[in-house]
Amino acid sequence: MVGIKPTDLPPTAAVKFFGAGTAACIADLVTFPLDTAKVRLQIQGESTAASGSAVVKYRGVFGTITTMVRTEGARSLYNGLVAGLQRQMSFASVRIGLYDSMKQFYTRGSENANIVIRLLAGCTTGAMAVAFAQPTDVVKVRFQAQVRQSDGLKRYNGTMDAYRTIARDEGVRGLWKGCMPNITRNAIVNCAELVTYDIIKELILKYDLMTDNLPCHFTAAFGAGFCTTIVASPVDVVKTRFMNSSAGQYSSALNCALTMLTKEGPTAFYKGFMPSFLRLGSWNIVMFVSYEQIKRGLTRMQVSWESPF
């Protein structure tokens, strides 16, 4: 990331890798209820279309959260948290932690990366993260989407049970269900999120609007979250629908998108936009602010260990 002073020791690749995963987990802990509400709103049209009913169970972000707490208990807001933390520790460590290293790889060690190089680096690390950790995302979405039945039964009894059940019922390929739309989504999210944050922060520092501290990180992260939501929402809705679908419901992610378009109209691609924005905006703020502080803290610790006297 930009903004390091020449006198500062830049964080190592290991510090960035570990720091990104840790910061993403902190952000998930704070914003997970918003993410769960987003998933419920995104799949709502799917269930009503399948049943032929026009009853709308969830209305708005906070209405969804209130309904879930009333009908399923407060713990339902954190369904899939374990899988979510597993996902962030693996996803974010790769897609965010390796972003700077990938920029240097494409520029052959140079610090001057143009917009094309930044976009290419974001797409690369986003795709790498999905290929590595897609099963954790599938399980997270399944947990967030499941509703306790009237007889008290659940689709999955735990995180490991979900991995086993999906592999047994749908094959190992089921754990990588929606991999291609998720690669597309992560490439878009990474480009919109990291590149936008990079550029906004760079411009703020270039024109001396702020110093390289918390207000600067907050502003850049908020802008990155807004841009990311606008660009990534359609892909995110298709990804959620496809990964949560039963076997044979959709023949492909493209078929899922076309089904949504014909049955629900183009506005279906922006279902759950407000919770997506609230979640991505707040997630980006918490993640980037935490990431910057963790990088600095770990780098200071590294310096003190190497120079104890």
Side-chain angles (χ1 to χ4, degrees), residues 108-294:
R108 299 183 179 180
S110 172
E111 291 294 330
N112 299 319
N114 58 35
I115 185 68
V116 175
I117 294 297
R118 295 180 189 191
L119 290 172
L120 190 58
C123 286
T124 303
T125 57
M128 287 169 57
V130 175
F132 173 62
Q134 176 70 1
T136 61
D137 203 17
V138 173
V139 170
K140 180 186 81 80
V141 168
R142 296 285 182 93
F143 262 104
Q144 289 177 312
Q146 76 173 352
V147 180
R148 187 185 293 274
Q149 305 300 318
S150 57
D151 56 5
L153 296 177
K154 286 185 174 182
R155 191 176 183 183
Y156 307 111
N157 294 319
T159 305
M160 297 310 299
D161 176 62
Y163 286 115
R164 286 192 297 266
T165 302
I166 294 170
R168 183 185 67 240
D169 296 346
E170 304 173 40
V172 176
R173 290 181 62 183
L175 292 170
W176 269 266
K177 190 172 189 176
C179 190
M180 287 310 297
N182 210 13
I183 284 177
T184 304
R185 176 191 178 275
N186 259 274
I188 292 171
V189 166
N190 240 29
C191 290
E193 195 173 77
L194 298 180
V195 176
T196 303
Y197 179 84
D198 229 6
I199 291 174
I200 293 175
K201 182 181 173 183
E202 190 176 67
L203 291 173
I204 288 172
L205 298 176
K206 180 180 178 180
Y207 292 102
D208 294 323
L209 300 175
M210 300 177 189
T211 56
D212 188 9
N213 54 21
L214 197 147
C216 171
H217 306 156
F218 180 96
T219 304
F222 183 85
F226 183 74
C227 293
T228 303
T229 308
I230 292 175
V231 173
S233 272
V235 182
D236 192 33
V237 175
V238 173
K239 180 211 77 166
T240 300
R241 293 278 187 97
F242 188 62
M243 287 199 302
N244 186 57
S245 64
S246 56
Q249 185 174 351
Y250 302 115
S251 59
S252 65
L254 180 60
N255 174 252
C256 177
L258 291 173
T259 302
M260 286 173 56
L261 182 63
T262 55
K263 291 187 176 181
E264 302 171 55
T267 57
F269 293 101
Y270 281 92
K271 277 184 179 291
F273 179 83
M274 277 309 296
S276 289
F277 173 60
L278 287 173
R279 192 258 174 182
L280 269 176
S282 56
W283 191 92
N284 271 271
I285 290 167
V286 176
M287 194 284 296
F288 278 116
V289 169
S290 300
Y291 183 39
E292 297 280 9
Q293 296 306 311
I294 289 170

Side-chain angles (χ1 to χ4, degrees), residues 7-21:
T7 54
D8 292 340
L9 179 68
T12 63
V15 166
K16 292 176 184 177
F17 187 87
F18 176 77

Side-chain angles (χ1 to χ4, degrees), residues 36-118:
T36 303
K38 177 203 72 173
V39 170
R40 291 293 180 92
L41 284 168
Q42 286 177 337
I43 66 169
Q44 179 167 246
E46 178 182 51
S47 57
T48 55
S51 62
S53 171
V55 177
V56 176
K57 184 177 181 181
Y58 305 116
R59 295 182 183 276
V61 185
F62 299 107
T64 301
I65 291 174
T66 302
T67 299
M68 289 180 64
V69 171
R70 186 179 68 250
T71 59
E72 303 172 52
R75 291 182 63 182
S76 65
L77 297 174
Y78 283 90
N79 277 345
L81 178 62
V82 174
L85 296 179
Q86 291 173 353
R87 173 184 181 271
Q88 291 299 351
M89 205 64 208
S90 48
F91 260 65
S93 296
V94 175
R95 76 178 186 87
I96 299 171
L98 297 182
Y99 171 69
D100 285 337
S101 299
M102 196 56 62
K103 281 196 302 185
Q104 291 180 350
F105 172 78
Y106 284 125
T107 58
R108 299 183 179 180
S110 172
E111 291 294 330
N112 299 319
N114 58 35
I115 185 68
V116 175
I117 294 297
R118 295 180 189 191

